[in-house]
């Protein structure tokens, strides 16, 4: 399986800059939707191809992309900086990581879909942790819950993805509304975003790299799930 890690930077050509408010809006929910559509321009050519890339916005028009296909030249980006993603890992290797993720827990609802399948619900791990608190106390408790629930979620990912969490910190937790919603704000779909960083130890290199390629958590099309890794300094 070939993988490529690329850095894409928005072009500063006047024709692109004139569209900046549309392709790189300031409001976060709109930006994630616009960036997802924008990055597709680097993988155009096959209208039936599935979305086979993960991405992460770094700000100022810069993006990291992990893909199974090499990105092509797009009129919206400078020439992409591309390298093969082939880390040589062994059991016990320690890695620094950063991860922006929509972390959820899945539960059964005892309901079925119209097609007869079991209906499941995906709960944001932070909101689930503070669900029983009075509304006025949730904002104050949210970051502490994000630290605890975020690490627990990541440890669960590690069990299934061949790594052990040695250190994990939550730099930020926010809730992003989906911009496509039409109707009362109260019913607007939204999802939580955790920004995690720290150190992990690789237990099963092949399993770990396979999961890195798949991404972690949900809402991957909105720029979540790409774990950026590098060798950690000796402990």
């Amino acid at each position: 399986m070939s993988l490529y890690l690329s850095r894409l930077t928005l072009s500063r050509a006047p024709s692109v800059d004139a569209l900046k408010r549309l392709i790189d809006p300031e409001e976060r929910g709109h930006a994630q939707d616009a960036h997802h559509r924008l990055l597709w321009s680097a993988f155009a050519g096959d209208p039936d191809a599935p979305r086979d890339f993960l991405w992460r916005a770094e700000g100022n028009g810069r993006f990291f992309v992990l893909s199974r296909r090499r990105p092509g030249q797009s009129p919206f980006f400078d020439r992409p900086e591309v390298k093969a993603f082939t880390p040589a890992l062994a059991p016990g290797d320690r890695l620094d990581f950063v991860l922006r993720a929509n972390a959820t827990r899945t539960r059964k609802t005892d309901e079925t879909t119209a097609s007869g399948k079991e209906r499941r619900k995906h709960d944001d791990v932070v909101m689930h942790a503070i669900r029983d608190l009075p509304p006025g106390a949730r904002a104050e408790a949210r970051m502490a819950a994000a630290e605890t629930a975020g690490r627990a979620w990541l440890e669960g990912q590690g069990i299934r993805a061949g790594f052990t969490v040695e250190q994990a910190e939550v730099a930020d937790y926010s809730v992003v509304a989906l911009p496509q919603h039409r109707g009362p704000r109260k019913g607007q779909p939204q999802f939580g975003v955790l920004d995690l960083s720290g150190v992990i130890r690789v237990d099963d290199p092949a399993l770990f790299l396979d999961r890195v390629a798949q991404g972690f958590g949900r809402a991957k099309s909105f720029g979540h799930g790409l774990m950026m890794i590098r060798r950690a300094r000796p402990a």
Side-chain angles (χ1 to χ4, degrees):
M1 176 181 63
S2 298
L3 290 173
Y4 303 94
L5 182 63
S6 309
R7 181 164 61 185
L8 300 179
T9 303
L10 275 180
S11 170
R12 295 187 180 182
S15 59
V16 175
D17 194 56
L19 299 172
K20 185 172 177 59
R21 292 183 63 182
L22 293 175
I23 62 178
D24 192 20
E26 293 183 1
E27 198 279 321
R28 190 171 182 180
H30 288 281
Q32 291 179 346
D33 184 48
H35 292 162
H36 168 62
R37 301 171 189 273
L38 178 66
L39 287 163
W40 262 114
S41 69
F43 296 92
D46 182 357
D48 297 321
R51 181 196 60 77
D52 55 359
F53 61 88
L54 301 167
W55 62 276
R56 174 185 172 91
E58 290 293 294
N60 297 318
R62 292 192 294 270
F63 305 87
F64 283 108
V65 182
L66 183 66
S67 61
R68 300 181 189 275
R69 294 177 287 156
R70 292 180 64 95
Q73 186 63 44
S74 162
F76 299 106
F77 293 105
D78 294 335
R79 182 176 296 278
E81 303 170 64
V82 185
K83 63 180 181 180
F85 182 75
T86 56
L89 299 177
D93 283 352
R94 300 172 67 250
L95 304 173
D96 292 331
F97 78 92
V98 292
L99 173 64
R100 181 171 297 138
N102 170 226
T104 63
R105 60 188 298 275
T106 303
R107 60 180 172 87
K108 298 179 181 180
T109 64
D110 296 324
E111 300 175 356
T112 56
T113 65
S115 60
K117 294 183 179 180
E118 182 182 53
R119 189 186 301 278
R120 298 189 177 190
K121 184 174 176 58
H122 305 288
D123 295 323
D124 177 88
V125 296
V126 178
M127 290 303 179
H128 180 78
I130 60 177
R131 68 191 186 284
D132 295 329
L133 295 177
R138 291 175 187 171
E140 184 177 348
R142 197 160 68 172
M143 279 308 298
E147 287 280 355
T148 303
R151 176 167 184 133
W153 174 83
L154 186 64
E155 289 174 344
Q157 296 293 306
I159 292 171
R160 297 184 291 276
F163 68 86
T164 299
V165 179
E166 292 192 354
Q167 176 186 341
E169 298 177 355
V170 175
D172 187 39
Y173 173 78
S174 58
V175 177
V176 178
L178 295 178
Q180 300 96 333
H181 175 71
R182 298 292 184 270
R185 183 175 181 179
K186 183 178 180 180
Q188 187 172 29
Q190 56 188 17
F191 56 85
V193 181
L194 277 168
D195 276 295
L196 295 142
S197 63
V199 180
I200 58 175
R201 184 183 71 249
V202 178
D203 302 317
D204 185 330
L207 178 60
F208 172 65
L209 290 175
D210 182 66
R211 288 301 302 271
V212 168
Q214 296 177 44
F216 297 93
R218 301 178 63 81
K220 298 182 182 71
S221 62
F222 289 99
H224 308 116
L226 173 56
M227 180 182 280
M228 304 292 295
I229 56 175
R230 66 179 181 182
R231 299 279 179 182
R233 295 180 180 179

